[in-house]
Amino acid sequence: MTIDFPFIWTAFKEILKAIPLTLLLTITPLAIGFLIGLLVTWIRIGKARLIRLIANFYVSFFRGTPAIMHIMIIYFGLPILINQLVHYFELPIETNKIPISLFVILALSFTAGAYFSEIIRSGIASVTTGQIEAAYTVGMNTYQVAKRIILPQALAQSIPNITNIVVGFLHTTSIAFLVSQTEITGAANIVASKNLKFLEAFIAAGIIYWLITLMIEMISHFIEKKAKSYISSAL
Amino acid sequence: MNKRAIGVKRMIEITNLKKNFGPNEVLKGINLKVNKGDIISIIGPSGSGKTTLLRCLNYLEKPDEGIITIGEVSINARKVHKKDIYTLRKKSAMVFQSYNLFQHKTALQNVMEGLIVVQKKNIKEAQEIATELLRKVGLEHKTKAFPSHLSGGQQQRVGIARALALNPEVILFDEPTSALDPELVGEVLSVIAKIAKEGKTMIIVTHELNFAREISDRIIFMDNGVIVEEGSPKEIFVEQKEERTKQFLKRMVPELDYSI
Ligand SMILES: Nc1ncnc2c1ncn2[C@@H]1O[C@H](COP(=O)(O)OP(=O)(O)OP(=O)(O)O)[C@@H](O)[C@H]1O
Ligand SMILES: [Mg+2]
């Protein structure tokens, strides 16, 4: 068996069409997950005991199980739940008409939320208490201190970690192909099966993942340099 | 001393202030009155509760008991509301031993921050005030520098400008020069002395006894959670009555021996 190099290029062009869906499945959960992460972190460092326990459990569970589980549980579980509700309230909704990508996005949002919570929390820990006290003595309230003093530094500190989960999530979207999403891996699989050229198709897919990853890293370096300009370069 | 004549305004009043850390009684019922424009220095051995007293004044530390009054704002530790604490904090500003500048903001932004966020001034006005204050502390050439690019003495002067910006009724200093290299102490002390002359009410915790003696209207000597003795610099440094004060000064400034 030989490698059909020209077909790699053919597959490459075909798979490129899957990039928008892949990015949608990557970016949307990350954006929602970021907001979940902020909220959960706020709860976890707050004083309300019960919801703090729930928040801790959420983070522990979602970080302690693979993303594919979250997708499967939501994909198979949520329709049952919705069906019950639809039945009970006699709503005009058909669960099998809900786009699968929505389930994937929802599941991955929860996954991302748990990871973001850990990242934000360690970023916050890097802000000295002295600065927080200074902000209070200046007359700021807790919300202002969080928004103006803690978060900007916590996030700047977290850029490498955030980059890691962005790249990680780009790669994680590949499992959405298991619930028949035509993202990059799904597209590669289709091209491969049609032409019975699996190796070539997956090499092409690999190159695409890699190129996107390089781009994410470039953007991240650029942002990090800007955001951290306040930290002394002369160590 | 004449400042205490009739017509002088009371600025701060602390009544029966108590603070424990677990079983450790750190403040054992402090009473203190400060008039507008007074420069008060608090001295005393390590662990005597000086920092804790200062931090109780703006509720960075919540006292267990006692009433704190600054200007017209009065808080009883037994029934505090978050809102009262915010109001009280706006009456004072603090200069910290470790400067505690906002690391992600330039010198100018550090000074502007409270003006914009708390006092809701517009950017242009805040910028003017902040620039003027940085000039006052001799840092007009460093407005755009981040704290990590400033020396300790420069950072502390930004810290002082940040405190002044809020135009507080009183400025609290907690050992403002203790973290500095000896050659940088002078520049900070001279800035503090300059502000002192302008009539700002100030409470300074310090180990710089000579400095305290020069600029203060009144010296408070604290030991073990109580105010042992207070009086004019002369009364404390030359004519002290309490044995504990004598012992402390003897340890701190052996050359004062002749006056004891
Ligand atoms: N957050 C805290 N938790 C527990 N104990 C504390 C805390 N802060 C201070 N203390 C204790 O309270 C006592 C008084 O501390 P404080 O910092 O007020 O002393 P100080 O007079 O400022 O000393 P120094 O001259 O060393 O700064 C000390 O015994 C200290 O260990
Ligand atoms: Mg202290």
Side-chain angles (χ1 to χ4, degrees):
Chain A
M1 188 185 148
T2 53
I3 298 183
D4 179 355
F5 283 104
F7 186 73
I8 295 181
W9 177 239
T10 314
F12 187 89
K13 284 183 291 186
E14 194 56 34
I15 299 169
L16 280 182
K17 294 179 194 151
I19 288 181
L21 177 66
T22 306
L23 292 184
L24 179 81
L25 292 182
T26 308
I27 294 167
T28 322
L30 286 170
I32 301 172
F34 179 73
L35 297 179
I36 297 178
L38 277 181
L39 177 73
V40 168
T41 310
W42 182 266
I43 293 171
R44 288 170 85 203
I45 57 183
K47 290 196 187 95
R49 191 103 169 274
L50 181 68
I51 56 168
R52 201 173 64 207
L53 278 174
I54 296 171
N56 282 332
F57 168 77
Y58 157 71
V59 173
S60 170
F61 181 81
F62 275 81
R63 275 166 42 88
T65 46
I68 181 79
M69 295 302 146
H70 312 153
I71 292 180
M72 290 307 176
I73 289 172
I74 301 260
Y75 176 64
F76 290 112
L78 201 58
I80 298 175
L81 190 71
I82 295 176
N83 272 333
Q84 303 259 333
L85 292 176
V86 165
H87 196 73
Y88 188 81
F89 292 106
E90 296 173 2
L91 298 172
I93 298 176
E94 289 176 59
T95 37
N96 54 11
K97 293 250 173 78
I98 301 175
I100 297 173
S101 57
L102 226 51
F103 292 113
V104 175
I105 287 173
L106 188 65
L108 290 181
S109 298
F110 282 116
T111 321
Y115 282 96
F116 267 121
S117 175
E118 280 300 284
I119 289 173
I120 295 167
R121 200 166 71 143
S122 69
I124 288 174
S126 74
V127 183
T128 57
T129 43
Q131 289 181 64
I132 298 169
E133 290 184 347
Y136 279 121
T137 64
V138 161
M140 290 191 213
N141 60 35
T142 310
Y143 171 76
Q144 291 164 332
V145 175
K147 184 175 152 211
R148 310 230 6 145
I149 306 299
I150 301 177
L151 277 182
Q153 293 182 68
L155 292 180
Q157 236 12 278
S158 307
I159 292 171
N161 283 333
I162 292 176
T163 307
N164 282 343
I165 87 158
V166 173
V167 171
F169 266 65
L170 169 71
H171 300 169
T172 299
T173 54
S174 61
I175 60 184
F177 126 80
L178 290 176
V179 286
S180 38
Q181 294 298 289
T182 322
E183 41 62 67
I184 293 175
T185 303
N189 201 43
I190 291 170
V191 180
S193 326
K194 265 194 208 149
N195 303 276
L196 292 177
K197 290 188 197 294
F198 285 88
L199 182 58
E200 290 81 354
F202 283 108
I203 287 175
I207 292 171
I208 292 174
Y209 278 124
W210 184 47
L211 290 177
I212 301 177
T213 303
L214 287 181
M215 239 146 70
I216 294 171
E217 279 168 352
M218 261 165 54
I219 296 169
S220 154
H221 280 307
F222 176 76
I223 296 176
E224 188 175 9
K225 225 167 138 190
K226 288 234 140 176
K228 279 196 176 167
S229 58
Y230 64 86
I231 294 167
S232 178
S233 45
L235 275 173
Chain B
M1 279 299 97
N2 297 336
K3 281 186 186 169
R4 263 180 246 170
I6 304 161
V8 161
K9 209 176 131 204
R10 172 73 32 83
M11 181 56 73
I12 300 177
E13 185 155 354
I14 304 169
T15 312
N16 194 29
L17 187 70
K18 292 184 183 172
K19 174 71 187 173
N20 302 332
F21 286 112
N24 186 5
E25 272 184 80
V26 176
L27 298 177
K28 302 172 180 169
I30 301 279
N31 294 292
L32 184 65
K33 290 173 183 156
V34 179
N35 289 329
K36 188 169 162 67
D38 271 0
I39 314 291
I40 309 285
S41 288
I42 303 179
I43 61 172
S46 183
S48 54
K50 308 181 295 294
T51 296
T52 308
L53 171 59
L54 224 50
R55 288 168 59 86
C56 281
L57 280 178
N58 53 24
Y59 266 70
L60 282 183
E61 222 62 82
K62 188 189 172 301
D64 296 311
E65 209 177 300
I67 301 168
I68 292 171
T69 309
I70 303 182
E72 73 287 353
V73 181
S74 188
I75 299 192
N76 187 333
R78 297 231 167 146
K79 35 179 195 255
V80 272
H81 300 287
K82 222 172 184 167
K83 236 184 160 162
D84 300 333
I85 294 177
Y86 289 137
T87 323
L88 183 79
R89 282 190 185 139
K90 286 178 189 158
K91 292 278 157 191
S92 66
M94 195 169 211
V95 174
F96 298 84
Q97 182 174 350
S98 46
Y99 336 125
N100 294 348
L101 297 184
F102 308 131
Q103 294 296 310
H104 59 312
K105 294 186 181 286
T106 62
L108 191 73
Q109 288 168 338
N110 262 275
V111 183
M112 287 168 64
E113 187 68 7
L115 294 170
I116 289 170
V117 180
V118 179
Q119 301 189 348
K120 312 285 183 206
K121 292 202 160 47
N122 66 45
I123 292 189
K124 193 164 163 284
E125 197 182 347
Q127 228 159 17
E128 276 163 16
I129 297 171
T131 310
E132 183 50 41
L133 285 169
L134 285 176
R135 183 172 306 130
K136 187 176 206 169
V137 300
L139 288 174
E140 61 274 24
H141 57 301
K142 291 289 183 186
T143 50
K144 292 202 179 83
F146 286 106
S148 61
H149 297 172
L150 295 171
S151 74
Q154 291 170 334
Q155 288 190 57
Q156 192 58 296
R157 284 185 280 152
V158 175
I160 293 170
R162 175 174 70 181
L164 284 171
L166 304 159
N167 197 18
E169 306 267 20
V170 53
I171 303 184
L172 312 169
F173 295 81
D174 188 13
E175 300 198 29
T177 58
S178 291
L180 294 174
D181 292 335
E183 73 270 20
L184 300 178
V185 169
E187 65 187 58
V188 172
L189 290 184
S190 67
V191 166
I192 298 175
K194 188 166 153 190
I195 306 162
K197 287 207 191 78
E198 293 171 2
K200 224 1 136 206
T201 313
M202 312 201 306
I203 302 182
I204 308 167
V205 171
T206 184
H207 290 295
E208 297 282 340
L209 298 189
N210 285 327
F211 177 72
R213 190 174 177 167
E214 273 167 38
I215 72 155
S216 307
D217 297 300
R218 208 144 49 98
I219 309 282
I220 313 274
F221 171 67
M222 275 183 76
D223 190 14
N224 209 3
V226 297
I227 293 177
V228 176
E229 194 169 353
E230 59 172 295
S232 67
K234 190 162 169 248
E235 284 166 327
I236 297 298
F237 288 108
V238 186
E239 305 158 353
Q240 58 300 91
K241 297 188 188 70
E242 300 290 329
E243 189 54 33
R244 276 197 273 177
T245 319
K246 279 181 195 163
Q247 291 301 328
F248 171 74
L249 290 172
K250 212 166 171 176
R251 268 201 321 263
M252 291 294 288
V253 241
E255 67 269 30
L256 276 183
D257 268 4
Y258 65 91
S259 63
I260 294 171

